[in-house]
Amino acid sequence: MKSYYTYTIYVVYLLFCLLITSASAQSLIRQSTDDRNTPLQQENGAKAVSILGEAHYLDKDDLEISSSDYKVSPSNQVTGMRSRPPMSYSLKMESFNTLLQSNNTERYESRPFPVGGYNWSLIVYPNGNREDSGSGFISLYVAIDNSTLVSSHQEVFADLRFYVFKRTERKFFTVQDTNVWRYNIFKTMWGFPRVLPLDTFRNPSNGYLFNGDHCEFGVDVTIHTPFQRSELFTVARNFPNPRFTWNIQRFSTLLGETYFSDVFSIGGRNWNIQVHPSGAVTGEGRALSMYLLLNANERFRPYEKIYVRAQLRVLNQRASSQWRTIERPIDHWFTGPGLGWGYDEFVPLADLRDPERGYLVNDKLMVQVEMEAISSTSFGTGASSFLVELTPVHPLALP
């Protein structure tokens, strides 16, 4: 009996030791496996970074925060058809179905191609990028080579347009985003997980897959850089002294063809009024011709132009309800010094010389211009200079 009891105690003790040994072994096995998987998971994570653009050295929470800045809204996608082929890179495949049926090939990555001083690669997922909700679609991306970035803090902004050749129409299906794509070490790849449904792509009648299993993809990469030249167009109104009046004495004795007023300044520019007492062009011998001129000595930059809205007048010097001041509008772009705009037949000479009408009194003619709007254009270099130019334009007062 004692021997049986001793034997029982021994068996229980042996089972207890085996249990402890098993638990320790499992712990050691799990620890060993965890230790072995940790660098592998990090390596896979690094690979996912190159595919999905996540950061190499951020933890899960940081990745979620970082990713919130990189969501692509489907509403920003623009699709269409075009005849011209891609400009940056073309990828033709003659064995697409073989690639599609491979269990070990998730994607095809082109060789690097240079654009804007950086190296890029076109990436095709034949079965769609599952990690980007692209299963069942053709997924297209462009990745940047991090080694071509100058520093870890550098960002590259690029416009991307993807192409898929459609042989039935001899055109390319294109897809692009209205936003600019932002590349950096935390986001090395951008693209579309759902370019075309795989069933649509594989249907020969649609023309994307032709001659058995031939197809063609492409991309345009355009580096988006801040503008280096700028101009600011401004229109000034409500001038302190918008009118200039020219009193022409002894008008009937003027025998010359052309007469100019003194120089006057309104809106920061110098002007003249020009009259032809006996008319010019179609008004010759029949009407007074009158024009507003940008002064010939006015400084003018290449390709500059000035928009002017004004009223040109021959004043009635008598208070008459029957005969009023004659007024004609000017709405014109001045494109150089000494050039002007006006009327060959401003007022008939017969009306002008009629003493009852009040335009010519004591042989004096009064003509006037009233400026309503004058534009100015400021030119700068770089985005910062453009912002500096955004200041009010203060027209110069008439002396």
Side-chain angles (χ1 to χ4, degrees), residues 49 56 119 144-151 184-188:
V49 169
H56 286 257
N119 288 336
I144 190 172
D145 183 355
N146 275 351
S147 66
T148 59
L149 296 175
V150 176
S151 67
N184 51 40
I185 63 170
F186 304 116
K187 186 67 176 178
T188 61

Side-chain angles (χ1 to χ4, degrees), residues 71 74 92 95 115 153 195 231 258 275 359 372:
K71 297 299 182 183
K92 297 180 181 179
S95 304
V115 174
H153 301 291
V195 175
E231 65 180 77
T258 305
V275 298
Y359 302 119
E372 297 177 349

Side-chain angles (χ1 to χ4, degrees), residues 246 248 251 254-261 272-281 288-291 293 338:
W246 180 20
I248 306 175
F251 181 79
L254 301 179
L255 302 178
E257 294 184 357
T258 305
Y259 292 85
F260 298 90
S261 73
N272 297 94
I273 296 176
Q274 178 184 3
V275 298
H276 295 258
S278 298
V281 196
L288 174 74
S289 301
M290 185 161 62
Y291 312 89
L293 273 65

Side-chain angles (χ1 to χ4, degrees), residues 3-141:
S3 175
Y4 176 78
Y5 178 78
T6 303
Y7 177 76
T8 302
I9 293 298
Y10 176 78
V11 170
V12 171
Y13 176 78
L14 180 61
L15 290 175
F16 179 76
C17 291
L18 288 174
L19 180 62
I20 293 177
T21 303
S22 175
S24 299
Q26 289 180 4
S27 177
L28 289 174
I29 292 173
R30 184 171 60 250
Q31 180 65 40
S32 176
T33 303
D34 289 346
D35 291 342
R36 191 169 65 249
N37 282 347
T38 297
L40 179 62
Q41 291 172 354
Q42 290 177 351
E43 180 179 348
N44 288 340
K47 183 178 180 181
V49 169
S50 64
I51 297 174
L52 297 179
E54 302 296 358
H56 286 257
Y57 305 109
L58 299 179
D59 59 30
K60 183 177 183 294
D61 293 334
D62 289 335
L63 287 177
E64 291 177 353
I65 296 173
S66 177
S67 298
S68 66
D69 296 332
Y70 299 109
K71 297 299 182 183
V72 180
S73 171
S75 63
N76 294 332
Q77 297 180 14
V78 179
T79 61
M81 302 294 297
R82 62 177 291 174
S83 301
R84 300 296 298 173
M87 296 181 294
S88 296
Y89 201 76
S90 173
L91 170 61
K92 297 180 181 179
M93 293 184 171
E94 296 184 348
S95 304
F96 181 82
N97 284 323
T98 302
L99 189 65
L100 188 67
Q101 295 166 4
S102 172
N103 294 324
N104 298 320
T105 303
E106 182 182 12
R107 64 178 186 161
Y108 181 90
E109 183 172 347
S110 75
R111 66 174 181 174
F113 57 91
V115 174
Y118 306 95
N119 288 336
W120 311 83
S121 295
L122 175 60
I123 301 174
V124 180
Y125 286 78
N127 282 295
N129 184 359
R130 295 188 299 272
E131 297 184 41
D132 200 13
S133 303
S135 297
F137 289 81
I138 297 291
S139 302
L140 296 177
Y141 298 84

Side-chain angles (χ1 to χ4, degrees), residues 168-344:
T168 53
E169 298 186 23
R170 297 287 180 178
K171 293 182 177 181
F172 291 85
F173 171 79
T174 66
V175 57
Q176 62 188 110
D177 196 88
T178 57
N179 290 325
V180 178
W181 311 74
R182 182 171 65 177
Y183 285 87
N184 51 40
I185 63 170
F186 304 116
K187 186 67 176 178
T188 61
M189 194 180 84
W190 279 107
F192 294 98
R194 300 184 175 189
V195 175
L196 284 170
L198 190 56
D199 292 340
T200 300
F201 182 84
R202 296 187 66 187
N203 189 337
S205 64
N206 292 325
Y208 296 109
L209 207 58
F210 51 90
N211 292 344
D213 59 354
H214 293 194
C215 58
E216 180 180 354
F217 305 98
V219 68
D220 286 343
V221 179
T222 305
I223 305 300
H224 190 279
T225 57
F227 53 85
Q228 300 300 313
R229 298 290 184 269
S230 63
E231 65 180 77
L232 172 64
F233 174 77
T234 306
V235 177
R237 302 180 182 86
N238 303 319
F239 306 102
N241 296 288
R243 289 182 292 274
F244 172 79
T245 303
W246 180 20
N247 297 323
I248 306 175
Q249 304 290 345
R250 298 185 295 277
F251 181 79
S252 62
T253 65
L254 301 179
L255 302 178
E257 294 184 357
T258 305
Y259 292 85
F260 298 90
S261 73
D262 292 336
V263 179
F264 60 94
S265 178
I266 299 178
R269 294 289 187 174
N270 293 322
W271 311 88
N272 297 94
I273 296 176
Q274 178 184 3
V275 298
H276 295 258
S278 298
V281 196
T282 61
E284 185 174 359
R286 300 188 307 108
L288 174 74
S289 301
M290 185 161 62
Y291 312 89
L292 174 66
L293 273 65
L294 186 64
N295 185 259
N297 295 322
E298 185 70 18
R299 296 182 60 183
F300 218 76
R301 288 165 289 188
Y303 306 105
E304 187 177 6
K305 55 186 177 181
I306 303 172
Y307 171 73
V308 174
R309 191 171 67 238
Q311 297 295 331
L312 201 56
R313 302 176 179 130
V314 170
L315 301 180
N316 190 296
Q317 301 178 53
R318 293 177 179 171
S320 172
S321 59
Q322 183 177 3
W323 309 110
R324 300 179 180 274
T325 292
I326 300 173
E327 180 178 89
R328 298 186 185 279
I330 292 178
D331 193 322
H332 183 65
W333 288 92
F334 289 74
T335 57
L339 301 179
W341 188 259
Y343 295 87
D344 299 334

